[in-house]
Amino acid sequence: MSVQSLMVPVGTPAPDFALPDLDGHTHARADYIAGPGLLVIFACNHCPYVRHIESKLGEVLGTLAIPTVAICTNDADAYPDDAPEGLRAQADRAGWKFPYLIDESQQVGRAFSAACTPDFFLYDARLELAYRGAFDESTPGNGKPVTGNELHAAIENVLTGATVPEPHRPSMGCSIKWRA
């Protein structure tokens, strides 16, 4: 069953976080306070919605100078494809050059109000939410091309200091796999 992002209010400050990447290096919100913004993507390896866009996501983000982190909040005990080995394979397969962080406690996912994978949170230079929404209008099986145009346009607005026009289309995907 698919779910939509919760559409956290624009202007909400980025929650604090400090999480390890796949190599054990810690990445924190404080690393990004100098701007120009920050894209936080809640993702995982097993979700067909993430797999549907993963290569185009790597391609789009490879052309834009926005600091980016992906975070896997899913319960990797219940979903072993989302354990670090699976995430590393996904990042390699998709050409992701940004850090992939592990939220083992699931506290960061809750702080962001992440609801689905993928779930995109784009922050401006003040680390205030500028865009929360879809990559584009494509989903598995709907026949629409994977372009990344909605996220790409939002990032370009943030990088130029412009407001991202609303409405933002909610992201849709698999629910975050919370521990019971």
Side-chain angles (χ1 to χ4, degrees), residues 143-176:
K144 298 189 178 186
V146 179
T147 64
N149 64 320
E150 291 180 43
L151 182 63
H152 188 278
I155 292 169
E156 285 188 336
N157 279 315
V158 164
L159 291 175
T160 62
T163 300
V164 180
E166 293 204 62
H168 303 165
R169 175 196 317 274
S171 189
M172 182 171 39
C174 300
S175 63
I176 298 284

Side-chain angles (χ1 to χ4, degrees), residues 47-127:
C47 173
Y49 288 85
V50 176
R51 285 185 171 231
H52 180 70
I53 66 163
E54 66 185 16
S55 294
K56 190 65 167 183
L57 178 63
E59 181 183 314
V60 166
L61 292 177
T63 68
L64 297 166
I66 187 79
T68 301
V69 297
I71 299 174
C72 183
T73 291
N74 280 358
D75 177 359
D77 292 334
Y79 293 83
D81 285 348
D82 295 341
E85 327 59 80
L87 302 180
R88 185 178 307 281
Q90 178 183 35
D92 291 345
R93 173 180 74 237
W96 291 359
K97 304 298 183 204
F98 45 86
Y100 209 152
L101 312 182
I102 310 296
D103 180 20
E104 191 172 344
S105 73
Q106 300 187 317
Q107 291 176 344
V108 172
R110 291 187 191 285
F112 275 82
S113 296
C116 57
T117 55
D119 210 350
F120 298 95
F121 296 83
L122 177 61
Y123 296 90
D124 63 19
R126 295 177 312 277
L127 294 182

